Amino acid sequence: QQLGIAAGNRAVHLAVQQNYNQAVKAINAGLSEKKALSFLYKLEQFTLELVQLNREILKLTQDFEQKFSTSQ
């Protein structure tokens, strides 16, 4: 499960980066507002997904640390 989340996290990072680059190019190229807004919407959705994945990673890390920490 953790490997799947890590792979998903990497894929989302790449998607965010790609959509950010496309949005910047669209805005700088003077493309239509509709096209720029479309790129920004996709970027926002991927960013929200990335936030959720990072929360899951933190939760899994905390669970792992609690389960396998050595108490003295």
Side-chain angles (χ1 to χ4, degrees):
Q1 181 184 8
Q2 290 174 339
L3 290 176
I5 290 175
N9 195 20
R10 176 74 177 142
V12 172
H13 271 96
L14 291 174
V16 168
Q17 181 180 7
Q18 180 182 15
N19 280 286
Y20 175 81
N21 291 339
Q22 289 176 341
V24 170
K25 286 178 186 177
I27 292 167
N28 288 335
L31 296 179
S32 71
E33 183 178 344
K34 183 178 180 180
K35 186 89 167 173
L37 287 174
S38 173
F39 284 128
L40 289 173
Y41 176 78
K42 288 178 187 177
L43 179 60
E44 180 183 23
Q45 296 307 305
F46 282 121
T47 302
L48 292 173
E49 187 176 341
L50 182 60
V51 167
Q52 182 58 38
L53 283 170
N54 284 330
R55 286 182 180 151
E56 289 180 39
I57 289 167
L58 288 173
K59 173 81 169 87
L60 287 170
T61 302
Q62 290 169 348
D63 291 348
F64 178 85
E65 287 174 347
Q66 287 178 354
K67 186 173 182 179
F68 295 105
S69 67
T70 54
S71 55
Q72 296 176 340

